């Protein structure tokens, strides 16, 4: 089992990192509170990485740091996406550089239909994900394209939030607790969609309280505890390790 990624031979990851997304020595603060305490990990192209840990471990803060969603979080560290140093870009530039965060509260825009929510996110002209392709992926959204987004069911709103991230023509999908509050049958549907998106080459970081479901879907896992990484390895290793699950995931 590989506890903590070994970057010791590789002080400057830009030169040699084989990973698609590299997070290197990330620190983040809310005012005086030191929350993300030197987190480093790699995500390979096309994989699903489960980012796990107990409540308050720093999962959301880590996702926000990667997505460069600043205020009130102050971050420091390196983020390399497809050889691009996101940490050196202005935040508005980084926001268009290929990371799509789907926040826990989904942030569907009130007063806009499903289609308008998607159109607002879409880059012009759409490169990868046209509206038709998104509706093929989420037929429920196609059926409800003229319905106001905020009147959708919880599961449909989650689908819209994911579709909206894809519409921005992203390279990495960052999902913060996508299954929260959803019935198992809807979770099944979202899982199938995530597998389909993966088969199209998408790279995903999945933060989830439902660790077993996340591990069953994921290729690899990183476990956070009080703002630091305590495990970096395969999802299967976590599923097989009762001690690790009991200590850091309470399952
Ligand atoms: N806006 C904020 N201001 C100050 N402290 C914050 C803020 N947001 C989060 N924190 C603190 O940062 C720590 C990590 O929170 P974070 O939301 O990243 O954890 P998490 O792993 O996502 O937890 P959960 O599983 O409950 O979603 C917690 O101690 C939390 O209280
Ligand atoms: Mg969280």
């Amino acid at each position: 089992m590989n506890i903590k990624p070994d970057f010791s031979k590789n002080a400057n990851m830009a030169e040699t990192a084989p990973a698609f997304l590299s997070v290197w020595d990330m620190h983040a603060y809310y005012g005086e509170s030191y929350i993300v305490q030197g987190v480093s990990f790699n995500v390979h192209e096309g994989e699903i990485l489960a980012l796990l840990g107990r409540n308050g471990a720093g999962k959301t803060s880590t996702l926000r740091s990667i997505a460069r969603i600043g205020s009130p979080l102050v971050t420091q560290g390196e983020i390399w996406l497809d050889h691009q140093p996101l940490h050196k870009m202005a935040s508005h530039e980084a926001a268009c550089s290929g990371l799509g965060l789907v926040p826990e509260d989904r942030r569907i825009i009130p007063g806009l239909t499903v289609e308008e929510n998607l159109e607002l996110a879409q880059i012009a002209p759409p490169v990868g994900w046209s509206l038709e392709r998104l509706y093929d992926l989420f037929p429920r959204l196609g059926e409800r394209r003229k319905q106001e987004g905020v009147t959708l069911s919880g599961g449909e709103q989650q689908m819209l939030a994911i579709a909206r991230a894809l519409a921005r023509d992203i390279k990495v999908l960052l999902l913060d607790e996508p299954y929260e509050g959803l019935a198992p049958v809807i979770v099944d549907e979202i899982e199938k969609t995530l597998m389909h998106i993966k088969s199209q080459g998408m790279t995903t970081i999945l933060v989830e309280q439902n660790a077993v479901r996340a591990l069953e879907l994921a290729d690899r896992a990183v476990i956070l505890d009080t703002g630091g990484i305590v495990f970096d390895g395969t999802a299967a290793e976590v599923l097989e390790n009762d001690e690790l699950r009991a200590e850091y995931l309470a399952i």
Side-chain angles (χ1 to χ4, degrees):
M1 180 169 56
N2 175 18
I3 310 282
K4 286 197 177 170
D6 179 17
F7 293 123
S8 54
K9 296 181 220 76
N10 185 11
N12 184 351
M13 292 174 63
E15 257 67 74
T16 48
F20 190 55
L21 174 68
S22 290
V23 177
W24 169 242
D25 203 21
M26 177 67 70
H27 302 261
Y29 304 79
Y30 289 106
E32 297 285 293
S33 305
Y34 181 32
I35 303 296
V36 179
Q37 305 183 356
V39 162
S40 302
F41 61 92
N42 285 326
V43 191
H44 304 292
E45 190 167 15
E47 79 178 353
I48 298 179
L49 178 92
L51 180 62
L52 305 174
R54 284 188 284 235
N55 289 121
K59 304 178 297 293
T60 297
S61 305
T62 300
L63 279 193
R64 289 173 63 95
S65 303
I66 297 169
R68 300 277 312 270
I69 311 285
S71 178
L73 199 62
V74 176
T75 60
Q76 170 196 322
E78 297 188 14
I79 307 149
W80 295 88
L81 173 62
D82 204 5
H83 306 287
Q84 299 292 313
L86 267 51
H87 55 284
K88 289 189 182 161
M89 296 178 185
S91 45
H92 67 276
E93 210 188 332
C96 308
S97 61
L99 296 176
L101 174 65
V102 180
E104 208 176 343
D105 60 7
R106 295 160 195 161
R107 306 266 165 96
I108 306 303
I109 301 169
L112 298 187
T113 64
V114 165
E115 190 142 298
E116 287 163 346
N117 265 277
L118 293 173
E119 281 170 345
L120 201 64
Q122 212 156 32
I123 57 159
V127 182
W129 296 90
S130 63
L131 286 178
E132 286 322 306
R133 194 166 162 219
L134 289 168
Y135 293 147
D136 281 345
L137 187 64
F138 296 107
R140 282 163 176 260
L141 296 182
E143 289 159 21
R144 293 166 178 77
R145 62 178 81 188
K146 299 293 174 210
Q147 190 175 326
E148 191 184 348
V150 292
T151 66
L152 296 172
S153 70
E156 290 159 0
Q157 287 195 32
Q158 186 61 52
M159 293 172 197
L160 178 54
I162 296 171
R164 195 176 50 179
L166 296 175
R168 289 178 41 225
D169 199 38
I170 55 166
K171 296 175 181 164
V172 181
L173 187 59
L174 309 172
L175 298 172
D176 199 354
E177 305 209 17
Y179 307 155
E180 198 190 8
L182 304 183
V185 59
I186 304 295
V187 175
D188 290 344
E189 207 175 311
I190 290 178
E191 262 184 353
K192 267 192 211 133
T193 310
L194 294 180
M195 285 309 288
H196 183 74
I197 299 170
K198 177 184 156 86
S199 74
Q200 313 273 303
M202 183 59 67
T203 307
T204 302
I205 301 183
L206 173 62
V207 167
E208 198 29 70
Q209 281 300 325
N210 193 336
V212 173
R213 279 203 92 131
L215 288 163
E216 282 167 356
L217 193 71
D219 302 289
R220 290 195 313 112
V222 163
I223 303 180
L224 286 178
D225 196 49
T226 51
I229 292 183
V230 291
F231 174 87
D232 182 328
T234 66
E237 278 174 281
V238 184
L239 284 169
E240 286 158 12
N241 189 327
D242 295 345
E243 226 170 280
L244 190 68
R245 284 188 289 124
E247 185 162 1
Y248 297 113
L249 303 176
I251 48 172

